[in-house]
Each structure stands twice: as structure tokens, then as C-alpha cells.
């Protein structure tokens, strides 16, 4: 009985020792969320231990394939697999296995895990990197004199509000690279808006701008003139159409050709006969003159007619 009890105690001791050994050999230091602004540099630290045997960074970006950075102390050798040149060791890996990302871009967003092998055991550190893109804040007045606040191409989407909130409309537009443009239009109750202030909230930083909007008198004047000329042109056109419509009917009646074929008039017959009559009369005069001359020549000298 005593031997059996001793065996049970020894078994429990071995189990506890094994569990403690496993806990010591493999440790997860933490899972952290970090953020970096696009264009800046980001540094991800790794558990520092003396007499490091091996260090490995396993990187799984949100877009693209995974990559690894490794170091082996026994060979004093580093290697790289599918990692861009913007990611590298900050210092000598056996002294400081920190990873540095230069010129952070949207493509760098993802999970980063560091594994360290040392005499004390294996250690892991995991980060989730979020890349922030500061939006470009602009403030302007639209054609109706309403202030418009625009936060362009931000990641994540910016939050926009007005200091004196009256009535506003919000719209968003997403882009292929994950950024979002937010636009909020302030609708005032009057034509003139004095000192409207827009506030933009974003993880990369907050901004605010103010503007005074009013509808230009010049624009109003030209708008009224355009409306008046438009209506006058319509009235003039209708008047011209109304005036020329009856006159066009009369012109059509005047130019209409006669329905029956023309007939010869008596005057035309007279004009055709007169040349013949004139010719006959001239022939008669000539004949009478010749007859008189002939008769005169045959008469005695004393019987010639007096001239």
C-alpha cells in the first residue's frame, strides 16, 4: 500500500514538473494593437533575452502574401523571404531583434508575430498594425451660399460636425485603396452664414476650419437678368409666330397659279391682223402713185394735172 501511494505521489510530481517546463519553454508575451500614420516609420519590439539562439518575424499583411525575416545565432546569418526592403532589422538581431518599417504604407497593414528562441524558452509577441491615412480637410461655399466641409481620402472615415449645428447632410465615397471621403453640407436658414466652423475628428489628429458664406450680389443680379431675358425671348417668339401665321396664308393664296388654262383675247387677234392691214394699205398707195404717173405721161401736155 505504501509503495502504491509513493508511486502516485511521484507521478503527480512528474506531471507538475512537465507542465511547469512546458509553460517555461513556450510563452506568449502579448497580442497588441498598434497604429502608424502613412509615410511615417513604425518600430515593433520583440522580447529581449540573453543568449538568443534564433529570432523569426512572421508577417501576414492584409493585402499580398506572407513574408518572414529570420536570424540564427549559431551561423550568424539572417535571411529574408518575400519581404520588401522597407522592412528590416533595426539593429543586430542577437542584441536587439526589433523590426523597423520605414515609410509605412497601406499595404503594410496586417499581423506581425515575433518568435524568440533562448535558453529560458520560446517567446512570442504578436502585433496587429493599423495604418492611418490623415484626410485632407477643405472648406468652401457652394453656389447657393452653403458651407461645405470635405474630408478627402481618410482612413478610417473622418467624423465631421459643425459648431452651430442647424441642418446638415452627410455623404461618403469609398475608394479602392480603403480610404473614404466624407462630405457634410451645412444648410442655413438665411442666405448669409457668418463664421461657420467645421470640426474634423480623426485618429491621426483633429482639425477645424471656419468660413463665412453669402450669395454674391453679382451672381444674384445676373441670375435675375437671365430669367427676365429668358421670358422676354419666349414672349417675342410667340408674338412673331402669331403675327406671321395669317400673313403666310395670304402669301400662299397670292402666289397660287390660275386654275384654268389662258385663252386668246380679241386684242391678240387684232395685233395679229394689224400688220397685214398696214402692208395692204402701203401696197395700195404705191399702186395708186404708179397709176397716176403712168396716166400723166400718156395725157397731152396741156391736160397734165396741176401740181
Amino acid at each position: 500500500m505504501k509503495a502504491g501511494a509513493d508511486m502516485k505521489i511521484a507521478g503527480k510530481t512528474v506531471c507538475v514538473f512537465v507542465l511547469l517546463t512546458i509553460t517555461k519553454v513556450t510563452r506568449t508575451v502579448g497580442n497588441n494593437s498598434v497604429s502608424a500614420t502613412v509615410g511615417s516609420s513604425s518600430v515593433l519590439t520583440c522580447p529581449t533575452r540573453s543568449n538568443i539562439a534564433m529570432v523569426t518575424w512572421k508577417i501576414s499583411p492584409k493585402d499580398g502574401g506572407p513574408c518572414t525575416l529570420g536570424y540564427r545565432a549559431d551561423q550568424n546569418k539572417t535571411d529574408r523571404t518575400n519581404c520588401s526592403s522597407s522592412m528590416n532589422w533595426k539593429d543586430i538581431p542577437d542584441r536587439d531583434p526589433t523590426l523597423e518599417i520605414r515609410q509605412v504604407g497601406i499595404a503594410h497593414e496586417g499581423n506581425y508575430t515575433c518568435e524568440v528562441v533562448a535558453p529560458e524558452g520560446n517567446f512570442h509577441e504578436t502585433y496587429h498594425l493599423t495604418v492611418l491615412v490623415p484626410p485632407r480637410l477643405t472648406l468652401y461655399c457652394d453656389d447657393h451660399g452653403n458651407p461645405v466641409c470635405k474630408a478627402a481620402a481618410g482612413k478610417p472615415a473622418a467624423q465631421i460636425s459643425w459648431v452651430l449645428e442647424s441642418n446638415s447632410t452627410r455623404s461618403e465615397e469609398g475608394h479602392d485603396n480603403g480610404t473614404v471621403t466624407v462630405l457634410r453640407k451645412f444648410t442655413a436658414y438665411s442666405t448669409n452664414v457668418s463664421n461657420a466652423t467645421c470640426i474634423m475628428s480623426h485618429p491621426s489628429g483633429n482639425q477645424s476650419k471656419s468660413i463665412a458664406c453669402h450669395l454674391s450680389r453679382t451672381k444674384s443680379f445676373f441670375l435675375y437678368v437671365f430669367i427676365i431675358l429668358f421670358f422676354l425671348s419666349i414672349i417675342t417668339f410667340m408674338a412673331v409666330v402669331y403675327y406671321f401665321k395669317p400673313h403666310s396664308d395670304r402669301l400662299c393664296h397670292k402666289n397660287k397659279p390660275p386654275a384654268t388654262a389662258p385663252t386668246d383675247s380679241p386684242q391678240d387677234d387684232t395685233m395679229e391682223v394689224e400688220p397685214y392691214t398696214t402692208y395692204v394699205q402701203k401696197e395700195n398707195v404705191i399702186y395708186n402713185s404708179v397709176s397716176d404717173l403712168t396716166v400723166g405721161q400718156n395725157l397731152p401736155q396741156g391736160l397734165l394735172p396741176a401740181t
Side-chain angles (χ1 to χ4, degrees):
M1 295 292 293
K2 185 176 180 181
D6 292 339
M7 289 294 293
K8 289 182 180 180
I9 294 173
K12 290 181 179 179
T13 303
V14 170
C15 290
V16 171
F17 177 77
V18 171
L19 291 175
L20 291 175
T21 303
I22 294 173
T23 304
K24 183 178 180 181
V25 170
T26 303
R27 299 179 183 178
T28 300
V29 177
N31 191 347
N32 306 309
S33 296
V34 295
S35 61
T37 304
V38 65
S40 64
S41 296
S42 180
V43 175
L44 304 179
T45 60
C46 203
T48 302
R49 294 292 183 270
S50 60
N51 300 321
I52 292 177
M54 185 171 62
V55 180
T56 305
W57 276 99
K58 297 180 179 180
I59 303 167
S60 300
K62 188 175 181 180
D63 298 325
C67 77
T68 57
L69 288 175
Y71 169 74
R72 291 188 59 174
D74 57 346
Q75 299 179 3
N76 193 21
K77 179 182 177 181
T78 60
D79 59 2
R80 170 192 304 269
T81 305
N82 298 328
C83 291
S84 63
S85 59
S86 60
M87 293 183 289
N88 209 340
W89 306 99
K90 185 179 180 180
D91 201 348
I92 301 175
D94 60 348
R95 292 189 305 185
D96 185 6
T98 299
L99 176 67
E100 182 180 15
I101 307 173
R102 296 183 297 273
Q103 296 293 320
V104 174
I106 297 178
H108 290 135
E109 192 172 72
N111 295 322
Y112 294 73
T113 302
C114 176
E115 298 178 355
V116 175
V117 178
E120 297 90 345
N122 297 348
F123 301 89
H124 296 77
E125 185 84 25
T126 301
Y127 298 92
H128 178 73
L129 177 64
T130 301
V131 179
L132 305 177
V133 181
R136 299 183 300 273
L137 181 63
T138 56
L139 188 59
Y140 60 92
C141 303
D142 64 5
D143 295 335
H144 300 285
N146 296 319
V148 180
C149 192
K150 181 179 180 181
K155 184 178 179 299
Q159 298 297 323
I160 299 177
S161 62
W162 297 96
V163 172
L164 298 177
E165 188 75 23
S166 174
N167 187 19
S168 61
T169 56
R170 174 188 171 92
S171 61
E172 291 187 4
E173 179 185 0
H175 307 287
D176 295 337
N177 59 357
T179 60
V180 181
T181 296
V182 181
L183 188 144
R184 184 175 286 275
K185 180 183 293 185
F186 182 92
T187 305
Y189 292 109
S190 61
T191 305
N192 296 328
V193 180
S194 59
N195 198 20
T197 302
C198 169
I199 299 177
M200 183 194 72
S201 301
H202 194 263
S204 63
N206 301 329
Q207 299 181 45
S208 64
K209 288 186 177 182
S210 299
I211 194 172
C213 297
H214 63 278
L215 188 61
S216 174
R217 293 183 178 181
T218 305
K219 291 184 178 180
S220 302
F221 173 76
F222 283 112
L223 179 62
Y224 294 146
V225 170
F226 174 77
I227 294 174
I228 293 173
L229 291 177
F230 177 75
F231 282 105
L232 286 177
S233 61
I234 293 178
I235 294 172
T236 304
F237 176 76
M238 294 178 65
V240 170
V241 172
Y242 179 79
Y243 175 79
F244 278 101
K245 185 175 180 180
H247 289 75
S248 61
D249 295 338
R250 295 178 184 177
L251 291 174
C252 291
H253 287 300
K254 288 181 179 180
N255 295 330
K256 187 174 181 181
T260 58
T263 57
D264 295 336
S265 62
Q267 184 178 359
D268 296 335
D269 295 338
T270 306
M271 293 297 295
E272 293 179 359
V273 174
E274 282 182 356
Y276 176 76
T277 305
T278 306
Y279 173 77
V280 172
Q281 289 177 354
K282 290 183 178 181
E283 289 292 330
N284 292 335
V285 171
I286 295 171
Y287 177 76
N288 292 335
S289 300
V290 172
S291 298
D292 292 343
L293 179 61
T294 305
V295 172
Q297 290 179 353
N298 295 329
L299 290 176
Q301 187 174 4
L303 296 179
L304 289 175
T307 59

